[in-house]
Amino acid sequence: TKGDAYAVGAIAAVDGSYGHDLYVAGARVTINARVAGALKTIGARVLVRPGTDVGGPTQIAGADVRFAGVTHGKTEIVGDTVEIDGHIGGDLLVRARSVTIGKTAVIDGDVTFQSFNDPVIVQGAVIRGRKTMTLPHPQVSRFEAAQALFGLVLFSIAAGFMAGLILLGAAPA
C-alpha cells in the first residue's frame, strides 16, 4: 500500500511493503514487512521478524516482545518480557520486567531501560550510545493510555461475542 495500513485480528501476520505508517493489533502479532513510515503495534505476543525494515519511529507494546528487525528511528518498547536481536538506528526506550539484548543486536543511539531488574546484555551485542537504567515512572503516556483503551475494547468485544453465543444457545428455534 502507498498510504497508512491497519491490521487487527486475533492472529495478525503482516507481510509486504507499506508506503507510510503501519498499525497492527492482535493477540498474536507477527510482522515481516518494509515500512516507510512509523510502526505501531500492540499484542499479547509481538514478533518482529528479521526481514522487517522500518523507516520511521517504532512503538511496540505486548506481554512478550521479540524484535529482530531493523528500525531507523526512535524506538519505544513496553512489555513484560522484551528480547532485542535486531538493529535499532535511533534511541531506544524499554519499559519491561525482563530485558535481553541478544548477541546480534546493534543499537546506534542511547538506551534507557526502565525496569526493576537489570537488563541481560549478551556478549557480542553492540550499544553505541549511553546506557541508562532507571526505575519505572508511575506516569501514563499517551501510548500506554491507548494500550489500556485497546485492551478494554478487545475485552468488550470478546464479552459481547460470548454473551451472543450464550443467548443463541439458550434461545428456542
Side-chain angles (χ1 to χ4, degrees), residues 42-89:
I42 184 171
R45 183 173 187 272
V46 178
L47 173 61
V48 178
R49 294 198 178 270
T52 301
D53 191 320
V54 181
T58 301
Q59 290 181 312
I60 302 170
D64 180 25
V65 177
R66 298 184 192 283
F67 182 87
V70 175
T71 181
H72 301 281
K74 184 176 180 178
T75 302
E76 180 180 353
I77 301 175
V78 178
D80 181 54
T81 303
V82 173
E83 184 177 327
I84 299 171
D85 276 313
H87 186 159
I88 296 176

Side-chain angles (χ1 to χ4, degrees), residues 16-29:
S17 183
Y18 300 88
H20 207 260
D21 298 343
L22 175 62
Y23 302 89
V24 184
R28 256 199 283 161
V29 174

